[in-house]
Amino acid sequence: MEKKEQKRHQHKHSGPKADKKNRKKEQGTEPERDERKRNPRAFSVQSAVRMAKTFHRTQDIKTKKHHIPLVDRTPLEPPPVVVVVMGPPKVGKSTLIRCLIKNYTRQKLSDICGPVTIVSGKKRRLTFIECNNDINSMIDLAKVADLVLMLIDASFGFEMETFEFLNICQVHGFPRVMGVLTHLDTFKNNKTLSKTKKRLKHRFWTEVYQGAKLFYLSGMVYGEYQTQEVKNLGRFISVMKFRPLVWRTSHPYVVADRMEDLTDPEDIRLNPKCDRTVSLYGYLRGTFLKNKCQVHIPGVGDFSVADVSFLPDPCPLPEVIKKRALNVKERLLYAPMAGVGGLVYDKDAVYIDMPSGHGSQQQEVRPTTELVQSLIGTQATLDAKMAASKVSLTCLMFSVLIVRKQNPMESREWDERAQRERRRAVFADEDDDDDDDDDGDGEQESDEEEDEEEDDEEDEDEEGVTTLKKHDKTAAETAAPPVKKQKCEVPMEMPAFADSDDELEKSEEDESEEDESEEEEENEENEEMEEGEPAKKSSGPDSGLCSEDDDEDEEEDSDTDEDGDGTVKSKMSSKHPEEENIDTDDAEMEVQNGHNLEDLAQKATEAYLRHQLAAPNLRKLVYGTVAEKEEDDSNDEEELGGLFKVNRPEKSKKVRADAMDCSRFQPDNSHDWDQEEVRSSIRDCFVTGKWEEDKDAATLLKEDEELYGDFEDLETGQVHKAKTGNKDQAEEAPQVKLDDDEVQKNKRLEKKRRLKERFDAQYDDGDATYFDDLKEEMQKQAELNRQEFEDVDDEIRVQYEGFRPGMYVRVEIPALPCEFVTNFDPHYPIILGGLGPSEGNVGYLQMRLKKHRWHNRILKTRDPLILSLGWRRFQTIPLYYIEDHNGRHRLLKYTPEHMHCGATIWGPITPQGTGFLAVQTVGGIKASFRIAATGVVLDLDKSVTIVKKLKLIGYPYKIFKNTSFIQGMFNTVLEVAKFEGASIRTVSGIKGQIKKALRTPPGAFRATFEDRLLMSDIVFLRSWYPASVPQLYNPVTSLLMPVGQKETWAGMRTLGQLKHDLGIRNKPNQDSLYKPVVRQVRHFNPLHIPKELQKALPFKNKPKQMQAKGKTPRDLQRPAVVREPHEKKVAALLDALSSVYAYKNKKARAEQHAKHKEFLKQKEKQEAERQKRMKEERKKTYRAMGQKEKKKLKSSLKGASKDN
Amino acid sequence: ILSQGTFEGCNCFRQRLVLSTLSGKRVKIRNIRSKDDNPGLRDFEASFIRLLDKVTNGTRIEINQTGTVLFYQPGLLYGGSVEHECNVQRSIGYYLEALLMLAPFMKTPLRAVLKGVTNDPTDPSVSVCPFISLSSKRRVLKRGMAPAGGGEVLFTCPVRRSMKPVHLTEPGKIKRIRGTAFSVRVSPQMANRIVDSARSILNKFIPDIYIYTDHMKGASSGKSPGFGLTLVAETVNGTFLGAEVVSTPQGQGDPVLPEDLGRNCAKLLLEEVYRGGCVDSTNQSLSLLYMTLGQQDVSKTLLGPLSPYTVEFLRHIRDFFQIMFKIEQQKPGEDEQKGGEKVLMTCVGAGYSNINKTIK
């Protein structure tokens, strides 16, 4: 492989070439500079065709490099990168993960169990997942991996798993793959080591791509890889860039790193096999996740999400830092399944996840209605319960009260190792403030609480709270004063607010003290909800309160009240702008109205009422109060005689449900378009109306003047200045100096910008292609996407755009099979793959499929096959087909080899262009290469168009000339009627047509042929029969298998397997069995030629009448001759004499021959001599003749010249 | 509280079925006019279901005996060449509005011939229906007025793989007004009278007005007499606002004078202009749907005040696609005279792609 050292070019040092070069050097000209000028012919157009070709080719190459530009949708704070460590067993996967974690976080993790998330750098987090040697896990992880560390045991070489995994990756979008060679210390010989390395590297390159990174881990030191090597590997990982993959950027997914069973333990006690409600936690990746969407959990099935909520990041990136490296506190590690997670954030509880705490917490979950139990219960129980419960308001508040009283200990839940104390007292503090301001009743309690909370804070501060927390706290503090001020002012200034509040309070006051504060918070909430509307800055509490959102918020609010966790933070941040808004509003009003308080109040009331009428909160109108209006219809049913209910069409209320379905929006008749002022209200909507400042033609002209006003006349050297600028300056002079400067600056900037725009438009237009325009458009869109909801509070933002990737979410899924919980094994990845619209449905899929070259058996139609398509793994029954030239889909019995074929399955609807792979079994390893086929989805169609060839056979039973009556092909007249006019054929190739059915026998028909049939002919009709695809869709539920048997899932067996397993053998067809060959001897009759014919035949052909010769009679037989001894002697002598004579003869002839040869030679010689002589003579004569001729010529020429 | 995918009553019947078809979610509608004297689905709704069945493949529809409960499991949108006899209780616009929502997402381009009532007072007609949409084509082959109908409309629409995000925030100023005054089986003079009266009002705003008169005769004039006017205002930014008024059907209510009709229609157009936005009130829902079904990008559209139908539609979009719109009200400025307040609708698309379309 190594390149041979090639001989270098030797420059000439002497000779003409060297001289030429030297001369050139001396002259100092660069010959390349004007090669075109110097040698124009070399650059002239030789062939127009070739030139066109080269041009096309360059353009082709150029355009091939273009990718369709996509809108950049990568999140600002991306989720951790999923690093899958893959390899056959005993290759060092766990060791590598352990080493890497140690490298990044300086912590040791004993058991790698489930995903491990760490902060690896300022902007990057990693989630390590170990892939066990199970094809299910391999498939699932290939779908979510961003980076695959492929471990290869160098002492052994590649194993099949590696190639299988690479093939899986290829199908599902190729993540980055980095090979890691381990066990290199087993090589004693250095040469074999380097050879092996090279061999493995090149093999790896052919599989991945040329130059793919392969990393070497040379050896172990105390059971760990060498620090320096691990560090280098870590560096590679931290700087790696990733490509967006189509499937992943269009589907949300979560790699769950924590699972929690929320089922009521009472239900489990009653029925241990009841369906479970489970909440799964993890970082959201891919794209936006909508609440209540459908997800697929590979290995379990499809489920609809009951609830999604986002939690504070358990493993956050460090705050913005200037210094280069992370400090120890920022190197976080989060692996709840491995029992290392520091603090765990539930939706509304914060607690430490102890290594053994998982099970115990689940056990402690109890139904919420039992109030007494909740009173007795410890804090942890309560929290867990809160997580599990949907409770009525009063009950909740009661529990809140209890919690507040007895629970100051949450602050102590602080993990030394993770350094992540996020307990926040700030919000509760602020709540109390509110209480104080609005009513004095709840003061005592809140004061107490405040003290407690403050204590907590102090504690935390002493212990060293993270920077993040501090930041939040400071933010809260800065926000606090204006809140107080505002709250003081409101009741005085805006009676509308106060009134409504009071009413609410009075009605509620009797119930409990705590209720009040709750109510206050509700009001707060309302304000918050309306904050999105700029139109309604000064609005009070809205009457319509029953929306779902509000309910949720209430719940959350009460929860936050209880234990003030992370959700509070977001809420806080949302409050600030709003309160400030109100504040500023107030201030404005004050300025406007002076000190007349009464007047102010009245005006405020009026304004408020007007607002209420004119601008109802549209968001609430649309999304909020729907349920309320549609529901209350059942009350006005009156009973008739206590038995029947009067059922009458309803007028007012039911109108909504059964109203006319019409998109017209009839105008209210408030506008009288005959009046001038009404007309003038839309005057500016027309081109004839007034234009905006920046679009008005006059202004534009003026600006142009400014832009192009100054110019210098080159001929005269005169400088023309724009007049407008001066004028402006003159006008603005009396104004404030500072302001003037600002204006001028802006103006200049604006002018510059416009000038540049003009310039760009003028000069860049030539280069701007469609591609560039598209790219720019995409960039603009990306910018808009990023900015649109940037300043919206997360709580509301998730409602608009869904949960964004990068968030840490908690997904609650009801009705999971109990096996999921009971057989839970954290070593197997749990993935929540979001499904797009209509991807949850099942239908027919047409796909292009190719059997994998390495799979050693072809696949059979109707044999069950396990496909991995989209997020799913499922078993289905494919039908293979091939498309004929006329577009017909003809069924195939087996997949062709080395060729694509079509396949139709009954399976989940998946967008076209999605790749899939097929395996025959997921349980155990039966094939040498398990991936049976790969392919892509082409089409989704609910109708199947695969057909199968069908030959109908009939026999003629009556034959007239070209017409025959045929029976046995059909059974009824009706069937025949359907095939009238169809073309038929005999085996011998006579074509015909079905004409008409006969009455008897049923199914017989009359047919005409192009020739007369024989009774022995067989007639057949070629037709196509649609094949139906079996509707089998059987998701592989490998995660539900008992622990330790998860790789043994077996679905439907193929017929062959079934027969093999049951020991059934096919009865062979008797006709295909071999039997001993028995040949009968044939007898041929003698040929008989009639006498007459015999007579006519020529003699030659006449049958010879002669009898065969019999035995010669004894008297005719001649005896053999036996010589006497004397005779023998004579004969011998004669023989000897004759041979002597022959020898002599021969000898004499040879002599004669030689003599003759000699003679011939002689003669030739003489001849040659003679020829020579003759030649000489001839030469002489010719010469003499020539001279004579010349003389003659000369003399004649002379004569002629004389004549002239 | 009803479970997901279950609805009550026949209001928003079309929205539910259309969104169900697009999202692939099955839907169940209960209590359809259950307390009415004439319970169950009406003929025009049945006809609508039949039309849906024609353009889809593999749809399952179950209706109970009385017609008060409907179960609808959508199939794949197939498209192709479709001919449908629409019920005369509603005009073709009723059916066309739904087809417009579905047509871009079919497997093969749709070519539908709809027969029935082309113009009636309740539904928008073909000429007003869809100005914002794609390169679809609509043509009135025959005009048929209510009550007897007899009209024919050709509608073709190409298919798309995915929708681009919509940015219609600047409606621009109206540069011209076009319109058609039509009359069938009445005196052709009616159309001229309508034109005159309409122009008398609109001329005060803009001079560039042209109203065509269209009098259809013979076979293409349908079975009932009537006349009407459609007006369309076009802005410099290429957005359209439409208005339409049709005479009351024969034998239903008082007959109207063509002059009154022309004036009413002009005023209706002014009303639309007053409401403003980039899309007129009848097409709000369509534009919102296209925003929803776009890629996962931010789309923005400026609308006039939301019609009740649109509000229902927004709720249904949330039910079917889990998409909420950010609704911002824009108050008109002090000195500008551009009609009433506008609503800026913003949403992030669902990342919808046409999974019906075949790739080759």
Side-chain angles (χ1 to χ4, degrees), chain B residues 28-257:
Chain B
K28 191 174 187 182
I29 303 176
R30 298 186 315 192
N31 295 340
I32 301 172
R33 299 197 184 90
S34 55
K35 296 186 178 167
D36 204 285
D37 292 339
N38 181 13
L41 291 168
R42 294 263 194 276
D43 287 346
F44 64 90
E45 282 157 345
S47 175
F48 178 71
I49 294 172
R50 237 167 271 134
L51 176 65
L52 274 190
D53 193 34
K54 272 180 195 169
V55 295
T56 55
N57 182 5
T59 304
R60 238 182 75 211
I61 300 156
E62 283 166 22
I63 303 170
N64 73 341
Q65 286 269 282
T66 51
T68 52
V69 180
L70 167 78
F71 173 77
Y72 178 82
Q73 186 178 17
L76 288 173
L77 282 165
Y78 199 84
S81 209
V82 172
E83 199 174 317
H84 187 65
E85 195 73 50
C86 300
N87 193 284
V88 291
Q89 286 172 354
R90 300 296 291 265
S91 83
I92 286 173
Y94 176 83
Y95 303 90
L96 202 60
E97 275 184 320
L99 278 190
L100 264 170
M101 292 177 172
L102 298 174
F105 305 104
M106 300 208 169
K107 185 184 277 297
T108 52
L110 180 72
R111 186 183 186 282
V113 177
L114 304 175
K115 293 174 180 173
V117 178
T118 51
N119 302 77
D120 78 347
T122 43
D123 288 306
S125 81
V126 180
S127 43
V128 181
C129 229
F131 284 106
I132 54 163
S133 63
L134 323 171
S135 46
S136 63
K137 213 165 65 185
R138 307 156 300 280
R139 223 173 67 218
V140 181
L141 303 176
K142 295 174 186 173
R143 213 176 270 286
M145 304 294 291
E152 208 172 294
V153 169
L154 172 72
F155 170 63
T156 56
C157 184
V159 291
R160 305 292 307 256
R161 179 124 184 87
S162 57
M163 295 296 236
K164 276 188 178 173
V166 181
H167 295 289
L168 288 173
T169 48
E170 197 52 53
K173 292 188 186 298
I174 292 165
K175 62 176 177 186
R176 59 168 164 242
I177 295 175
R178 293 287 175 266
T180 313
F182 59 87
S183 53
V184 286
R185 296 189 173 272
V186 290
S187 157
Q189 272 306 308
M190 295 289 199
N192 296 336
R193 284 161 71 185
I194 293 172
V195 171
D196 286 345
S197 61
R199 287 193 73 121
S200 70
I201 287 184
L202 296 177
N203 263 339
K204 289 166 189 160
F205 291 97
I206 194 163
D208 188 1
I209 302 170
Y210 198 92
I211 301 174
Y212 301 85
T213 54
D214 176 21
H215 182 73
M216 283 202 166
K217 279 188 261 185
S220 59
S221 66
K223 292 172 185 163
S224 306
F227 51 88
L229 173 65
T230 57
L231 289 173
V232 175
E234 190 187 341
T235 64
V236 285
N237 285 5
T239 62
F240 296 90
L241 300 170
E244 182 192 31
V245 173
V246 185
S247 63
T248 46
Q250 196 182 26
Q252 298 173 5
D254 303 328
V256 282
L257 281 177

Side-chain angles (χ1 to χ4, degrees), chain A residues 71 73 249-250 287-288 290-293 304 532-535 548-549 611 614-619 621-627 630-631 633 637 647-650 654-668 671-674 679-692 695 770 774 777 781 784-785 788-789 792 799-801 837-839 841 848 883 909-913 937-943, chain B residues 1 4 8-14 22-24 31-37 57-58 74-76 78 90 94 97 107 120-125 161 164-165 167 170 172-175 177 204-207 236 244 267-268 270-271 273-275 281-282 295-298 300 305-309 311-312 314-315 318 321-329 331 335-339 341 343 346 348-350 352 354-359:
Chain A
V71 179
R73 298 199 183 93
T249 47
S250 58
T287 177
F288 298 107
K290 298 270 161 34
N291 208 341
K292 305 216 166 33
C293 69
S304 61
E533 312 298 317
E548 292 169 0
D549 310 339
H611 251 164
N617 188 339
L618 258 181
R619 182 170 182 267
L621 186 82
V622 174
Y623 293 118
T625 53
V626 204
E630 280 184 344
E631 257 171 61
D633 57 314
E637 291 175 342
N647 205 354
R648 52 175 58 138
E650 296 184 30
K654 204 63 186 170
V655 161
R656 291 188 67 83
D658 277 340
M660 172 85 118
D661 182 13
C662 175
S663 64
R664 278 267 175 88
F665 185 18
Q666 294 304 335
D668 46 347
H671 299 292
D672 181 11
W673 293 105
D674 294 331
R679 269 204 298 261
S680 68
S681 70
I682 58 166
R683 189 61 78 183
D684 289 348
C685 291
F686 295 86
V687 280
T688 47
K690 207 174 79 186
W691 288 72
E692 285 90 349
K695 282 178 194 145
Y770 172 72
L774 205 62
E777 200 180 306
Q781 182 67 49
L784 182 69
N785 290 353
E788 182 59 35
F789 296 107
V792 181
Q799 290 181 348
Y800 287 135
E801 49 169 27
S838 82
E839 277 175 31
N841 296 351
R848 189 191 300 132
E883 192 170 322
I909 299 288
T910 316
Q912 295 95 336
V937 177
L938 288 186
D939 197 6
L940 316 161
D941 201 342
K942 293 231 169 169
S943 54
Chain B
I1 298 290
Q4 229 181 342
E8 294 252 350
C10 69
N11 195 10
C12 312
F13 183 74
R14 285 178 298 169
L22 289 171
S23 67
N31 295 340
I32 301 172
R33 299 197 184 90
S34 55
K35 296 186 178 167
D36 204 285
D37 292 339
N57 182 5
L76 288 173
Y78 199 84
R90 300 296 291 265
Y94 176 83
E97 275 184 320
K107 185 184 277 297
D120 78 347
T122 43
D123 288 306
S125 81
R161 179 124 184 87
K164 276 188 178 173
H167 295 289
E170 197 52 53
K173 292 188 186 298
I174 292 165
K175 62 176 177 186
I177 295 175
K204 289 166 189 160
F205 291 97
I206 194 163
V236 285
E244 182 192 31
K267 283 175 185 173
L268 208 60
L270 294 182
E271 188 68 39
V273 172
Y274 180 80
R275 282 173 183 160
S281 59
T282 45
Q295 287 155 336
Q296 292 205 319
D297 290 320
V298 171
K300 279 170 176 250
L306 300 180
S307 70
Y309 185 81
V311 171
E312 286 293 333
L314 284 172
R315 289 170 191 165
R318 190 185 51 171
F321 287 101
Q322 278 90 38
I323 281 185
M324 266 172 77
F325 280 76
K326 185 171 156 192
I327 307 169
E328 290 165 305
Q329 280 163 302
K331 286 271 177 200
D335 51 341
E336 61 183 7
Q337 295 171 331
K338 287 187 166 182
E341 63 175 39
V343 182
T346 311
V348 179
Y352 190 87
N354 181 2
I355 58 164
N356 303 314
K357 197 176 175 219
T358 313
I359 53 164

